[in-house]
Amino acid sequence: MTTQPAQLRAAIVGSTGYGGVELIRLLAAHPSVKVTSVVSSSSAGSLFSESFPHLTEIVTDALDAVDPELIRSKADVVFLATPHGVSAKLAPDFLAAGLKVIDLSGDFRLKDRAQYEKWYKKEAAGQEELDQAVFGMCELFGDEVAGASFVSNPGCFPTATVLGLYPAVKAGWIDPDSIVIDAKTGVSGSGRGLQLNAHFSEVNENFKAYKVGQHQHTPEIEMVLARAAGRPVATTFTTHLTPMTRGIMSTMYATLTDRSRTSADFHELYRQFYEGRKFVRVRPTGTYPATKEVYGSNYCDISLFADERTGRLTVFSVIDNLVKGAAGQAIQNLNLMMGWDETLGLTFTPVYP
Amino acid sequence: MTTQPAQLRAAIVGSTGYGGVELIRLLAAHPSVKVTSVVSSSSAGSLFSESFPHLTEIVTDALDAVDPELIRSKADVVFLATPHGVSAKLAPDFLAAGLKVIDLSGDFRLKDRAQYEKWYKKEAAGQEELDQAVFGMCELFGDEVAGASFVSNPGCFPTATVLGLYPAVKAGWIDPDSIVIDAKTGVSGSGRGLQLNAHFSEVNENFKAYKVGQHQHTPEIEMVLARAAGRPVATTFTTHLTPMTRGIMSTMYATLTDRSRTSADFHELYRQFYEGRKFVRVRPTGTYPATKEVYGSNYCDISLFADERTGRLTVFSVIDNLVKGAAGQAIQNLNLMMGWDETLGLTFTPVYP
Amino acid sequence: MTTQPAQLRAAIVGSTGYGGVELIRLLAAHPSVKVTSVVSSSSAGSLFSESFPHLTEIVTDALDAVDPELIRSKADVVFLATPHGVSAKLAPDFLAAGLKVIDLSGDFRLKDRAQYEKWYKKEAAGQEELDQAVFGMCELFGDEVAGASFVSNPGCFPTATVLGLYPAVKAGWIDPDSIVIDAKTGVSGSGRGLQLNAHFSEVNENFKAYKVGQHQHTPEIEMVLARAAGRPVATTFTTHLTPMTRGIMSTMYATLTDRSRTSADFHELYRQFYEGRKFVRVRPTGTYPATKEVYGSNYCDISLFADERTGRLTVFSVIDNLVKGAAGQAIQNLNLMMGWDETLGLTFTPVYP
Amino acid sequence: MTTQPAQLRAAIVGSTGYGGVELIRLLAAHPSVKVTSVVSSSSAGSLFSESFPHLTEIVTDALDAVDPELIRSKADVVFLATPHGVSAKLAPDFLAAGLKVIDLSGDFRLKDRAQYEKWYKKEAAGQEELDQAVFGMCELFGDEVAGASFVSNPGCFPTATVLGLYPAVKAGWIDPDSIVIDAKTGVSGSGRGLQLNAHFSEVNENFKAYKVGQHQHTPEIEMVLARAAGRPVATTFTTHLTPMTRGIMSTMYATLTDRSRTSADFHELYRQFYEGRKFVRVRPTGTYPATKEVYGSNYCDISLFADERTGRLTVFSVIDNLVKGAAGQAIQNLNLMMGWDETLGLTFTPVYP
């Protein structure tokens, strides 16, 4: 850390949501970034710490209004931790003001506006901004992120899922048409907004499926897998809610194209693919990850099981949905945009137990 | 209930485990059965209520030793809520003593001794008893249970899974070779014995896979599906631990044999198949069950989603692992053995929330 | 059960809240009551089962509007499972229509209108109805409930707390001015209405105090303890939220008036006081209750610890807040009003684990 | 951090327990300490990462045996994260080998051997080592810790409790004889050793009291409060288990010596008392802390409520039991021993939600 880069000033829009507050936690430990503006449309003017008393000593500022010019005067980069539909409206003005923008919503991930409107049931962002936004799946498209000024941060499920499937699809070792994705998430993924599906007594001691056949992350997953396969891919993607706060596990199934390939073969394929990428850990053959093993950290842990009995591959991939699935990967993208080491400020050890 | 059957006397072996104590809870409300002997190999002689103070007023007896003659003098039917390997040793003596036996372990489910020994890694029960034991999946094989004196109660995962797949396989509407089963269970399924995988701090706020490719319920599921398919079936069956006490959800995937069949078609197929069977509830198309919706009850709730986009069927099936997945189905089997209404004493409303 | 009383028809207002749905669960097992009207101001006309799919087979009715004449035509007794402030407005019309009324809200518990308005910050009910409403703490004032037509069901915290303190205060064995009550509740006590304090990610893996010095159950507790003491009593009453759905533990502290009295003395005092009252279980000296030991049941379990080292009594009292703390005690009150055995339809065994 | 101190080498004995693994998590972020030996009596020789796969990249070493000479060759300071009774046996040899020692067990906290043997029911450590060990409650006795070579780290409950009571007792604003302490802890406090009281299904959705009148932290609390009061103090101290992994809340009650003192008066007293001590945060009057607000951090948050209605003070104090209640405070003690800033390497932001 001898050649420590100069301090970058960051603004966080939507700072009182879970994505925003996690950005604040992580950036407080980043050696080269300082949060200089916390922004909220609903609570501008009040103290940030009224929303989160546990951050009283860490964020002493009042909340700024969503004013690109004001924010431009205080910051160099802006994180949009805003809901779908809101980012699409805000991003152009922030870009026009000359800020670097990292958007955590789904508004700029799908390049096909019709796809967005089908799955999100909202008007899509403008094609110009869509074309400008780089899809920041760091371990896959980091080269495109380097030097970019506008990055669209991937969704939580797509991050866990695509990191788990990409090398096998790319290598042609599994049949893309056979992919089934069974995903489980902690409740924080639905955000801080009140809803019955996040009401404690409804989800505690309960396990449920939701948005069956309709989850908006489906086309995002298929978009990236299509890049790996070199042709369109349709997957069965099912999401479940598990009674915990943080964590995603994606369990993925696909038919082997060559039944003689073993778990060890897949392990070696993945190990080589992710060589040098510190945040993806390919677990030893025969061991399987648990979400808590990445809790509070930016890791994505992956295990592979090729079953000769059924001719099928099973992939397990876990992340902390608020870190690698949101705020952590957003900072990793910032590191790449700035040409810094992608792990800068992100080397948190998982909180266990 | 005017022609209420005479009171049957029941003994419970392994009464201080979770299966045993759930039998006691359920039988306390059964109009035609009275628990007359609680049996424990490890704590014989001490009061039952020392293990479970909340049952002080309900079970005032001391624990009996595992003595078939003694138990024969006190009971007409014995529930074996004993671990795998133990039931195999105990059942013959109880049968020889003239007791009706319902075994909740896995020892008498697989009729092929080699299969048992491969998956359970224990010596199999004798072939004579294996042949005698009726596999008590009530809604499928209730006719065989009627009048039987020895019933092997199905496993928790097989119950949720097979009830969810059987009608579609039987009808030939899905390809048996394409079946993927992604199962999630609450922690009580592992019993009351201490183990790191049931240690609170290891499983709370955590989601993990376990026994990947090795779960002993795999051959039990395949045995029943083979009956439906009329030929051997190999499935991918993966089990996960979710941070809650009770509940199983099995999410199942298979390829449609005719892509034009809709969710509504499957709904109608299942509705007809389970007509008159109160404990299997086929949920309306477009709605999906949660484990808490069957908490503490003997229901199995099933939903079906046929996706024309991918040509695949997704089935969701939920049970309370300690009721329909263990003690409840055991009592349902007793009802069938005795020629009673299968719902007798089992009409508990789910505890919600 | 040969002399089974005739079937009583019951209506439940506020049936889609947690109090309402618990009344439905419990009454489904009551041999002498049938729910003939489920009432909701917000969802009248829609099917009840749309709110609670797990009750589809149990409640097939559509929701009735809040119409006393309509309900009078369908029911003999009405349970008001409505929020504070609403019951006060509804009860007079239901009483005028000739229905028996059991109110689960706080509106008719405090007989002093000024006290109500100070703690509830709402306008109090009319004095006439307040005078008419019998405070239904069954084990203490069951005689007053017998034959009443309007009963005010006690609060959840007061039930656990007062049952734990009453005998000792009444006997003069503790100093009423020294009482400290430290209460902990599961999240379902706050109801089904959305609020940040019941948002899963805010309360899971979290323990917090709330309404410090302001909880509206304070004057209710003091009102009853004053009856025991024969003079006004002021207590320190503090409530905490614990990350579980159901259950209350009240831990209570008071100075012994005679330091030589032992835990055994207190046990005997309580045992005699609650003799014949099945739902209050005084636990053996040296053992302490857990909330799960009464889960889903109408029990209140109490333990007593007199510490000669400090000259202080500690009392532990646990209930299921939705049963003995709400719907269960309401039904117990109905049983008493009707002259039935108070345990009728309420002998649920706790769900454990 | 320009004058960064030289790297200190640390060994952790009992590294596979929860205290040990938390030391590893925290020290991984400490700029001046490097863990050079992980020690385990039971698993010496095997890889540390076999016990904790999530630390594979962070701890690559094999476990060392408990060999003071070996450890002396590899480390400058040793943390004993060993059970009660074990530390007493190990500490003398490590001290004799010339290592600095920080003991996280209870073996060296009580200076009165008879007290230890009464409450711990084990043989006490030698008087010589007891006299040598400094009781490291950092914010109270930091001066004594500076320069010490042997520190006894306080217990988790005493830390939360004593920090919450000390200023008021010291100032004579509350009556020491009136103190009641109602403490609640997450399950990780009981360690990684298997026991029924930490078995998931026994503690999930459950709230229970334990060790009533017998908790070994009682004399430790009273020892420190006696220093504040200038005379012996006997308190009522009751511990409860709450269904979460991390966190302690201690709610404390005492009689005001001057009823006219307000919450604001107490707030100012505490603010001044803890001035400059970053890890104790006195919360604004009228707001109350939650355990999650300090999750994963070294903070102790305190709120004060003086109630003129009852003449009583209520104090709320929360910590993360594994950080401020164990590993974090141990590192804070190391910082003080070394003359470093006490916050060095400990400025973790709480993980929320």
Side-chain angles (χ1 to χ4, degrees), chain A residues 177 182 202 205-206 222 236 240 242 244-245 251 253 292 295 309 312 352, chain B residues 177 182 202 205-206 222 236 240 242 244-245 251 253 291-292 295 309 312 352:
Chain A
D177 293 330
D182 190 284
E202 300 288 321
E205 268 292 291
N206 201 356
E222 295 178 349
T236 291
H240 305 79
T242 184
M244 60 190 197
T245 301
T251 312
Y253 305 91
K292 192 140 210 187
Y295 202 91
R309 203 178 71 88
R312 219 169 263 129
Y352 191 98
Chain B
D177 293 330
D182 190 284
E202 300 287 321
E205 267 292 289
N206 201 356
E222 295 178 349
T236 290
H240 304 79
T242 184
M244 60 190 198
T245 301
T251 313
Y253 305 91
T291 60
K292 192 140 211 186
Y295 202 91
R309 203 178 71 88
R312 220 169 264 130
Y352 192 99

CSV table of all heavy atoms in Angstrom, one decimal, chain A residues 177 182 202 205-206 222 236 240 242 244-245 251 253 292 295 309 312 352, chain B residues 177 182 202 205-206 222 236 240 242 244-245 251 253 291-292 295 309 312 352:
chain,number,residue,atom,x,y,z
A,177,ASP,N,-29.0,-26.0,-23.0
A,177,ASP,CA,-30.5,-26.1,-23.0
A,177,ASP,C,-31.0,-26.9,-21.8
A,177,ASP,O,-32.2,-26.9,-21.6
A,177,ASP,CB,-30.9,-26.8,-24.3
A,177,ASP,CG,-30.7,-25.9,-25.5
A,177,ASP,OD1,-30.7,-24.7,-25.3
A,177,ASP,OD2,-30.4,-26.4,-26.6
A,182,ASP,N,-31.8,-23.4,-9.3
A,182,ASP,CA,-32.7,-23.4,-8.1
A,182,ASP,C,-32.0,-22.4,-7.1
A,182,ASP,O,-31.0,-22.8,-6.5
A,182,ASP,CB,-32.9,-24.8,-7.5
A,182,ASP,CG,-33.9,-24.8,-6.4
A,182,ASP,OD1,-33.6,-24.4,-5.3
A,182,ASP,OD2,-35.0,-25.3,-6.7
A,202,GLU,N,-44.1,-13.6,8.8
A,202,GLU,CA,-44.5,-14.3,7.5
A,202,GLU,C,-43.3,-15.1,7.0
A,202,GLU,O,-43.5,-16.1,6.2
A,202,GLU,CB,-45.0,-13.3,6.5
A,202,GLU,CG,-46.2,-12.5,6.9
A,202,GLU,CD,-47.5,-13.3,6.9
A,202,GLU,OE1,-47.7,-14.2,6.0
A,202,GLU,OE2,-48.3,-13.1,7.8
A,205,GLU,N,-39.1,-19.0,10.2
A,205,GLU,CA,-39.6,-20.4,10.3
A,205,GLU,C,-40.5,-20.7,9.1
A,205,GLU,O,-41.5,-21.4,9.2
A,205,GLU,CB,-40.4,-20.6,11.6
A,205,GLU,CG,-39.6,-21.1,12.7
A,205,GLU,CD,-39.1,-22.6,12.5
A,205,GLU,OE1,-39.9,-23.5,12.5
A,205,GLU,OE2,-37.9,-22.7,12.4
A,206,ASN,N,-40.1,-20.3,7.9
A,206,ASN,CA,-40.8,-20.5,6.7
A,206,ASN,C,-39.9,-20.6,5.5
A,206,ASN,O,-38.8,-19.9,5.5
A,206,ASN,CB,-41.8,-19.3,6.5
A,206,ASN,CG,-43.0,-19.6,5.6
A,206,ASN,OD1,-43.0,-20.7,5.0
A,206,ASN,ND2,-43.9,-18.7,5.5
A,222,GLU,N,-29.6,-15.2,-18.7
A,222,GLU,CA,-29.6,-15.8,-20.0
A,222,GLU,C,-28.7,-14.9,-21.0
A,222,GLU,O,-28.1,-15.5,-21.9
A,222,GLU,CB,-31.0,-15.9,-20.6
A,222,GLU,CG,-31.8,-17.0,-19.7
A,222,GLU,CD,-33.2,-17.2,-20.1
A,222,GLU,OE1,-33.8,-16.4,-20.9
A,222,GLU,OE2,-33.9,-18.1,-19.6
A,236,THR,N,-34.4,-22.6,-16.8
A,236,THR,CA,-35.4,-22.6,-15.8
A,236,THR,C,-34.8,-22.0,-14.5
A,236,THR,O,-33.8,-22.6,-14.0
A,236,THR,CB,-35.9,-24.0,-15.5
A,236,THR,OG1,-36.7,-24.5,-16.7
A,236,THR,CG2,-36.8,-24.1,-14.3
A,240,HIS,N,-36.3,-18.8,-4.3
A,240,HIS,CA,-36.9,-19.1,-3.0
A,240,HIS,C,-36.4,-18.1,-1.9
A,240,HIS,O,-35.3,-17.7,-2.0
A,240,HIS,CB,-36.6,-20.5,-2.5
A,240,HIS,CG,-36.9,-21.6,-3.5
A,240,HIS,ND1,-36.1,-21.8,-4.6
A,240,HIS,CD2,-37.9,-22.5,-3.6
A,240,HIS,CE1,-36.6,-22.9,-5.3
A,240,HIS,NE2,-37.7,-23.2,-4.7
A,242,THR,N,-35.4,-17.8,2.0
A,242,THR,CA,-35.1,-18.6,3.2
A,242,THR,C,-35.0,-17.7,4.4
A,242,THR,O,-34.6,-16.5,4.3
A,242,THR,CB,-33.8,-19.4,2.9
A,242,THR,OG1,-33.4,-20.2,3.9
A,242,THR,CG2,-32.6,-18.4,2.6
A,244,MET,N,-33.4,-16.1,6.6
A,244,MET,CA,-32.2,-15.5,7.2
A,244,MET,C,-32.0,-14.1,6.5
A,244,MET,O,-32.8,-13.8,5.5
A,244,MET,CB,-31.0,-16.4,6.8
A,244,MET,CG,-30.7,-16.7,5.4
A,244,MET,SD,-29.5,-18.0,5.2
A,244,MET,CE,-29.1,-17.7,3.4
A,245,THR,N,-31.1,-13.3,7.0
A,245,THR,CA,-31.0,-11.9,6.5
A,245,THR,C,-30.2,-11.9,5.2
A,245,THR,O,-30.6,-11.3,4.2
A,245,THR,CB,-30.5,-11.0,7.6
A,245,THR,OG1,-31.3,-11.1,8.7
A,245,THR,CG2,-30.4,-9.6,7.1
A,251,THR,N,-28.1,-23.3,-6.6
A,251,THR,CA,-27.8,-24.7,-7.0
A,251,THR,C,-28.2,-24.9,-8.4
A,251,THR,O,-29.3,-24.6,-8.8
A,251,THR,CB,-28.6,-25.7,-6.0
A,251,THR,OG1,-28.4,-25.2,-4.7
A,251,THR,CG2,-28.0,-27.1,-6.2
A,253,TYR,N,-28.1,-27.2,-12.1
A,253,TYR,CA,-28.1,-28.5,-12.7
A,253,TYR,C,-28.0,-28.4,-14.2
A,253,TYR,O,-28.7,-27.6,-14.8
A,253,TYR,CB,-29.3,-29.2,-12.3
A,253,TYR,CG,-29.6,-29.3,-10.8
A,253,TYR,CD1,-30.4,-28.3,-10.2
A,253,TYR,CD2,-29.1,-30.3,-10.0
A,253,TYR,CE1,-30.6,-28.3,-8.8
A,253,TYR,CE2,-29.3,-30.3,-8.7
A,253,TYR,CZ,-30.1,-29.3,-8.1
A,253,TYR,OH,-30.3,-29.4,-6.7
A,292,LYS,N,-22.9,-18.9,5.1
A,292,LYS,CA,-22.3,-18.1,6.2
A,292,LYS,C,-20.8,-18.1,6.0
A,292,LYS,O,-20.1,-17.2,6.6
A,292,LYS,CB,-22.6,-18.8,7.5
A,292,LYS,CG,-22.2,-18.0,8.7
A,292,LYS,CD,-23.2,-18.0,9.8
A,292,LYS,CE,-23.2,-16.7,10.5
A,292,LYS,NZ,-24.0,-16.7,11.7
A,295,TYR,N,-20.2,-14.7,4.6
A,295,TYR,CA,-21.0,-13.6,5.2
A,295,TYR,C,-20.2,-12.4,5.5
A,295,TYR,O,-19.2,-12.4,6.1
A,295,TYR,CB,-21.5,-14.2,6.6
A,295,TYR,CG,-22.7,-13.5,7.2
A,295,TYR,CD1,-24.0,-14.0,6.9
A,295,TYR,CD2,-22.6,-12.4,8.1
A,295,TYR,CE1,-25.1,-13.4,7.5
A,295,TYR,CE2,-23.7,-11.8,8.6
A,295,TYR,CZ,-25.0,-12.3,8.4
A,295,TYR,OH,-26.1,-11.8,8.9
A,309,ARG,N,-23.6,-41.3,-12.3
A,309,ARG,CA,-24.8,-42.1,-12.2
A,309,ARG,C,-25.9,-41.5,-13.0
A,309,ARG,O,-26.7,-42.2,-13.6
A,309,ARG,CB,-25.2,-42.2,-10.7
A,309,ARG,CG,-26.1,-43.3,-10.3
A,309,ARG,CD,-26.4,-43.4,-8.8
A,309,ARG,NE,-27.3,-42.3,-8.4
A,309,ARG,CZ,-28.6,-42.4,-8.4
A,309,ARG,NH1,-29.2,-43.5,-8.8
A,309,ARG,NH2,-29.3,-41.4,-8.1
A,312,ARG,N,-25.1,-35.9,-14.9
A,312,ARG,CA,-25.5,-34.5,-14.7
A,312,ARG,C,-24.4,-33.8,-13.8
A,312,ARG,O,-23.8,-34.4,-12.9
A,312,ARG,CB,-26.8,-34.4,-14.0
A,312,ARG,CG,-27.7,-33.3,-14.5
A,312,ARG,CD,-29.2,-33.5,-14.0
A,312,ARG,NE,-30.0,-34.2,-14.9
A,312,ARG,CZ,-30.8,-35.2,-14.6
A,312,ARG,NH1,-30.8,-35.8,-13.4
A,312,ARG,NH2,-31.5,-35.8,-15.6
A,352,TYR,N,-17.9,-15.2,11.0
A,352,TYR,CA,-18.4,-16.6,11.3
A,352,TYR,C,-18.1,-16.9,12.7
A,352,TYR,O,-16.9,-16.8,13.1
A,352,TYR,CB,-17.6,-17.5,10.3
A,352,TYR,CG,-18.2,-18.9,10.3
A,352,TYR,CD1,-19.1,-19.3,9.4
A,352,TYR,CD2,-17.8,-19.8,11.3
A,352,TYR,CE1,-19.6,-20.6,9.4
A,352,TYR,CE2,-18.3,-21.1,11.3
A,352,TYR,CZ,-19.2,-21.5,10.3
A,352,TYR,OH,-19.7,-22.8,10.4
B,177,ASP,N,-36.3,-39.7,-16.9
B,177,ASP,CA,-34.8,-39.5,-16.9
B,177,ASP,C,-34.4,-38.1,-16.7
B,177,ASP,O,-33.2,-37.8,-16.5
B,177,ASP,CB,-34.2,-40.1,-18.2
B,177,ASP,CG,-34.4,-41.6,-18.3
B,177,ASP,OD1,-34.5,-42.2,-17.3
B,177,ASP,OD2,-34.6,-42.1,-19.5
B,182,ASP,N,-34.6,-30.7,-6.0
B,182,ASP,CA,-33.8,-29.8,-5.1
B,182,ASP,C,-34.6,-29.7,-3.8
B,182,ASP,O,-35.6,-29.0,-3.8
B,182,ASP,CB,-33.6,-28.4,-5.8
B,182,ASP,CG,-32.6,-27.6,-5.1
B,182,ASP,OD1,-33.0,-27.0,-4.0
B,182,ASP,OD2,-31.5,-27.4,-5.5
B,202,GLU,N,-23.9,-22.8,14.0
B,202,GLU,CA,-23.4,-23.3,12.7
B,202,GLU,C,-24.5,-23.2,11.6
B,202,GLU,O,-24.2,-23.2,10.4
B,202,GLU,CB,-22.9,-24.7,12.8
B,202,GLU,CG,-21.7,-24.9,13.7
B,202,GLU,CD,-20.4,-24.3,13.2
B,202,GLU,OE1,-20.2,-24.4,12.0
B,202,GLU,OE2,-19.7,-23.7,14.0
B,205,GLU,N,-28.8,-18.4,10.4
B,205,GLU,CA,-28.3,-17.4,9.4
B,205,GLU,C,-27.4,-18.1,8.4
B,205,GLU,O,-26.3,-17.6,8.1
B,205,GLU,CB,-27.6,-16.3,10.1
B,205,GLU,CG,-28.4,-15.1,10.4
B,205,GLU,CD,-28.9,-14.4,9.1
B,205,GLU,OE1,-28.1,-13.7,8.5
B,205,GLU,OE2,-30.1,-14.4,8.9
B,206,ASN,N,-27.7,-19.3,8.0
B,206,ASN,CA,-26.8,-20.1,7.2
B,206,ASN,C,-27.7,-21.0,6.3
B,206,ASN,O,-28.8,-21.4,6.7
B,206,ASN,CB,-25.9,-21.0,8.0
B,206,ASN,CG,-24.6,-21.4,7.2
B,206,ASN,OD1,-24.5,-21.1,6.1
B,206,ASN,ND2,-23.7,-22.0,7.9
B,222,GLU,N,-36.4,-43.3,-5.9
B,222,GLU,CA,-36.3,-43.9,-7.2
B,222,GLU,C,-37.1,-45.2,-7.2
B,222,GLU,O,-37.7,-45.6,-8.2
B,222,GLU,CB,-34.8,-44.2,-7.5
B,222,GLU,CG,-34.1,-42.8,-7.7
B,222,GLU,CD,-32.6,-43.0,-8.0
B,222,GLU,OE1,-32.0,-44.1,-7.9
B,222,GLU,OE2,-31.9,-42.0,-8.4
B,236,THR,N,-31.5,-36.9,-10.0
B,236,THR,CA,-30.5,-36.1,-9.3
B,236,THR,C,-31.3,-35.5,-8.1
B,236,THR,O,-32.3,-34.8,-8.2
B,236,THR,CB,-30.0,-35.0,-10.2
B,236,THR,OG1,-29.2,-35.5,-11.2
B,236,THR,CG2,-29.2,-34.0,-9.3
B,240,HIS,N,-30.6,-29.7,1.1
B,240,HIS,CA,-30.1,-28.5,1.7
B,240,HIS,C,-30.7,-28.3,3.1
B,240,HIS,O,-31.8,-28.7,3.3
B,240,HIS,CB,-30.4,-27.3,0.9
B,240,HIS,CG,-30.0,-27.3,-0.5
B,240,HIS,ND1,-30.7,-28.0,-1.5
B,240,HIS,CD2,-28.9,-26.8,-1.2
B,240,HIS,CE1,-30.1,-27.9,-2.7
B,240,HIS,NE2,-29.0,-27.2,-2.5
B,242,THR,N,-31.9,-25.6,5.8
B,242,THR,CA,-32.4,-24.2,5.9
B,242,THR,C,-32.6,-23.8,7.4
B,242,THR,O,-33.0,-24.7,8.2
B,242,THR,CB,-33.6,-24.0,5.0
B,242,THR,OG1,-34.0,-22.6,5.0
B,242,THR,CG2,-34.8,-24.8,5.5
B,244,MET,N,-34.4,-23.2,9.9
B,244,MET,CA,-35.7,-23.2,10.6
B,244,MET,C,-35.8,-24.6,11.2
B,244,MET,O,-35.0,-25.5,10.9
B,244,MET,CB,-36.8,-22.9,9.6
B,244,MET,CG,-36.9,-23.9,8.5
B,244,MET,SD,-38.1,-23.3,7.2
B,244,MET,CE,-38.4,-24.8,6.3
B,245,THR,N,-36.7,-24.8,12.1
B,245,THR,CA,-36.9,-26.1,12.8
B,245,THR,C,-37.6,-27.1,12.0
B,245,THR,O,-37.2,-28.2,11.9
B,245,THR,CB,-37.5,-25.8,14.2
B,245,THR,OG1,-36.7,-24.9,14.9
B,245,THR,CG2,-37.6,-27.1,15.0
B,251,THR,N,-38.4,-28.9,-4.5
B,251,THR,CA,-38.7,-28.3,-5.8
B,251,THR,C,-38.2,-29.2,-6.8
B,251,THR,O,-37.0,-29.6,-6.8
B,251,THR,CB,-38.0,-26.9,-5.9
B,251,THR,OG1,-38.2,-26.2,-4.7
B,251,THR,CG2,-38.5,-26.1,-7.1
B,253,TYR,N,-37.9,-30.6,-11.0
B,253,TYR,CA,-37.9,-30.2,-12.3
B,253,TYR,C,-37.9,-31.4,-13.3
B,253,TYR,O,-37.2,-32.4,-13.0
B,253,TYR,CB,-36.6,-29.4,-12.6
B,253,TYR,CG,-36.5,-28.2,-11.6
B,253,TYR,CD1,-35.8,-28.3,-10.4
B,253,TYR,CD2,-37.0,-27.0,-11.9
B,253,TYR,CE1,-35.6,-27.3,-9.6
B,253,TYR,CE2,-36.9,-25.9,-11.1
B,253,TYR,CZ,-36.2,-26.0,-9.9
B,253,TYR,OH,-36.1,-25.0,-9.0
B,291,THR,N,-43.7,-23.5,3.5
B,291,THR,CA,-43.7,-24.6,4.5
B,291,THR,C,-44.5,-24.3,5.7
B,291,THR,O,-45.1,-25.1,6.3
B,291,THR,CB,-42.2,-24.9,5.0
B,291,THR,OG1,-41.7,-23.7,5.5
B,291,THR,CG2,-41.4,-25.4,3.8
B,292,LYS,N,-44.6,-23.0,6.0
B,292,LYS,CA,-45.3,-22.6,7.2
B,292,LYS,C,-46.8,-22.9,7.1
B,292,LYS,O,-47.5,-23.0,8.0
B,292,LYS,CB,-45.1,-21.2,7.6
B,292,LYS,CG,-45.6,-20.8,8.9
B,292,LYS,CD,-44.7,-19.9,9.7
B,292,LYS,CE,-44.8,-20.2,11.2
B,292,LYS,NZ,-44.0,-19.2,12.0
B,295,TYR,N,-47.4,-26.1,8.7
B,295,TYR,CA,-46.7,-26.2,10.0
B,295,TYR,C,-47.5,-26.9,11.1
B,295,TYR,O,-48.6,-26.5,11.4
B,295,TYR,CB,-46.3,-24.8,10.5
B,295,TYR,CG,-45.1,-24.8,11.5
B,295,TYR,CD1,-43.8,-24.6,11.0
B,295,TYR,CD2,-45.4,-24.8,12.8
B,295,TYR,CE1,-42.8,-24.5,11.9
B,295,TYR,CE2,-44.3,-24.7,13.7
B,295,TYR,CZ,-43.0,-24.6,13.3
B,295,TYR,OH,-42.0,-24.5,14.1
B,309,ARG,N,-42.0,-21.8,-22.2
B,309,ARG,CA,-40.7,-21.1,-22.6
B,309,ARG,C,-39.5,-22.1,-22.6
B,309,ARG,O,-38.7,-22.1,-23.5
B,309,ARG,CB,-40.4,-19.9,-21.7
B,309,ARG,CG,-39.6,-18.9,-22.3
B,309,ARG,CD,-39.4,-17.7,-21.3
B,309,ARG,NE,-38.5,-18.1,-20.2
B,309,ARG,CZ,-37.2,-18.0,-20.2
B,309,ARG,NH1,-36.6,-17.5,-21.2
B,309,ARG,NH2,-36.5,-18.3,-19.1
B,312,ARG,N,-40.4,-27.2,-19.6
B,312,ARG,CA,-40.1,-27.9,-18.4
B,312,ARG,C,-41.3,-27.8,-17.3
B,312,ARG,O,-41.9,-26.7,-17.3
B,312,ARG,CB,-38.8,-27.4,-17.8
B,312,ARG,CG,-37.9,-28.5,-17.2
B,312,ARG,CD,-36.5,-27.9,-16.9
B,312,ARG,NE,-35.6,-28.2,-18.0
B,312,ARG,CZ,-34.8,-27.3,-18.5
B,312,ARG,NH1,-34.8,-26.0,-18.1
B,312,ARG,NH2,-34.0,-27.6,-19.5
B,352,TYR,N,-50.1,-21.0,12.3
B,352,TYR,CA,-49.7,-19.9,11.4
B,352,TYR,C,-50.1,-18.5,12.0
B,352,TYR,O,-51.3,-18.4,12.3
B,352,TYR,CB,-50.3,-20.0,10.0
B,352,TYR,CG,-49.7,-19.1,9.0
B,352,TYR,CD1,-48.7,-19.5,8.1
B,352,TYR,CD2,-50.1,-17.7,8.9
B,352,TYR,CE1,-48.2,-18.7,7.2
B,352,TYR,CE2,-49.5,-16.9,8.0
B,352,TYR,CZ,-48.5,-17.4,7.1
B,352,TYR,OH,-48.0,-16.5,6.2
